[in-house]
Amino acid sequence: MAAHIRRRLRKGATTTAVAAAAVAALAASQAPAAPLAEGATGGDQQAAGGESGGPEDGAATGNSPYYTDLPPLVTPDRPGSSSNLPAATGSAEAGIPASVLAAYKQAERTVGTTDPACRLPWQLLAAIGKVESGQARGGQVDANGTTLSPILGPALNGQGFALIKDTDGGAYDSDAVHDRAVGPMQFIPSTWATWGQDANGDGRKDPNNIYDAALAAGRYLCAGGRNLAVAADLDRAVLSYNQSTEYLRTVRSWFAYYQRGTHEVPDGSGVLPTAPSTPTPSPTPSPGGTVSPTPGGTAGPKPSPSPSKPGGTKPSPSPSKPGDGSTSPTPTPTPPPKPTPSPAETFGSLENAGTGPLTATVGGTFEERVSVRARNALGAPMAQLPVTFTITGTTGTLFDGGKKKVTVISKADGTATAPALKAGEKTGEFTVTATAGTTRPRTLTYEASVTARQADKIVRVGDKALVAASGEKFADAVTVKATHKGIAAPGVAVTATMVKDSLGLIDNDKGPYFKDADGKPLRTLDLTTGADGLLQLPEIFADENPGTYKLRLTTEGGGSVVIELTVQAPEETAPEETETPEA
């Protein structure tokens, strides 16, 4: 019975006795605040400028009642102070339970990754969490962030609240007859079915888990392409959560308070709010379909002009009668409002779909293809979304088909994969940018590079011994062939060096040599293979030092070969014998 007594008191139950009884019961039961669903006589519903963020015409919470406690007049800390102050620092009202604070910050980071244009501040989630449930009843959560006991609103059975019949079979609210608002962020089950998230990675979307509920609230607030750094967008987001200008003012107050500084307190030690909102009559919509705010800021009916007094303003002429010759003005038809796309139809974010390093050699085809995944405002994969891929750079790289820009439609799993990249004839860096969305485009940029052609193997063509006499040139030319993965590698850079050892660690300064344009000796030369991967080295000369020498050739890509060169000493000529005359 105590579980059904609410801190949020309905209108007419505001006497001291009733309030005292409710608070006393709550101290024992820790019962959560009772939501006031759409259609009930709740405060300031359908407020001016409000918009629906979920599948229903109402709000995420069903326009529940909420805590109206305002933050202290004394700020928690000076502006710009840290939110990581020790528990003993600052006002008690500025303390946020550790797990609850961690959930808000995690939601900010997650949404910042998938929807950076929304610019969701965690302090806004904290403000809503404070007003909706007193930060999960002061942080009454377990190690995984799940409330120690369910936070449930009253049955929305039409008795003082809206009539919302069960939509979840009691799965979330343990009520198979009517719906109830659920969890620390007070989602009604039908809204949670659309917006629920699994933020703590346990495989469940649980509205009673502060991590799941905070991320769901963040995505809900960002729906419809809102930028929460813009005041008007932030107001619309809060009103979509609970369509009440009083609610907006309360959340705004806590938002500003938390922005000035907060500190972490242990779970279960947060300050519990005590002042509930009370239902007020629903305001009368203005002719334009919105509710006009009163001077105090709350929504109210727009007054009709008083009839003119005698001697005052001339009254408007009576409508013309048939046949009297007068003409009535033709009313200008009001265009129907443009339907707001559902969250499932609203583009939310663009992310990498597993694209690996983008590298290829000059003239080659990139093994990796650029792939992205589009998600809707709920974070689910979004199909049938055009994604444009654009190449920027001077390497000459193009998509297969010879284009620098292509558009691909995302598949059922949200992925869009660009055609294969064909490397140009210049080495260097370039980028591929993926762009999707029109109202608020999202982009992803990938770095890519084109490297010199490579050969993983180089061999000598022929096996004839290479011999020259001292001071002469080698009669036979040296020819090699470079290949990459067994295929001839044209245009590969090859370095030829005279060395003393097979590993090429010590260069040789004597023995065979090449010649430069001026005829001077060179013992290192940079060359390039031809179209068939073949390379014939320039002429090689022998100096006056006989012996066996080594020529090492290496390629881009790791290929190498060592070739022996032999310099022979000149043959000695025996002196001619002379005849001795006979005596």
Side-chain angles (χ1 to χ4, degrees), residues 12 23 49 56 88 102 133 138 151 179 189 216 223 242 366 369 426 473 517 544-545 547 564:
V23 172
E56 299 85 11
S133 68
I151 300 179
D179 271 350
N242 189 315
F366 285 74
R369 293 169 64 181
K426 294 182 179 179
K473 70 177 180 179
E544 302 299 329
N545 298 290
E564 284 194 352

Side-chain angles (χ1 to χ4, degrees), residues 109-117 215 219 348-351 375 442:
R109 291 192 298 270
T110 301
V111 174
T113 300
T114 60
D115 189 5
L215 180 56
R219 293 200 188 283
S349 62
L350 202 63
E351 62 186 37
R375 295 189 181 277
R442 308 294 201 278

Side-chain angles (χ1 to χ4, degrees), residues 80-95:
S81 61
S82 171
S83 62
N84 297 314
L85 300 175
T89 305
S91 164
E93 284 287 1

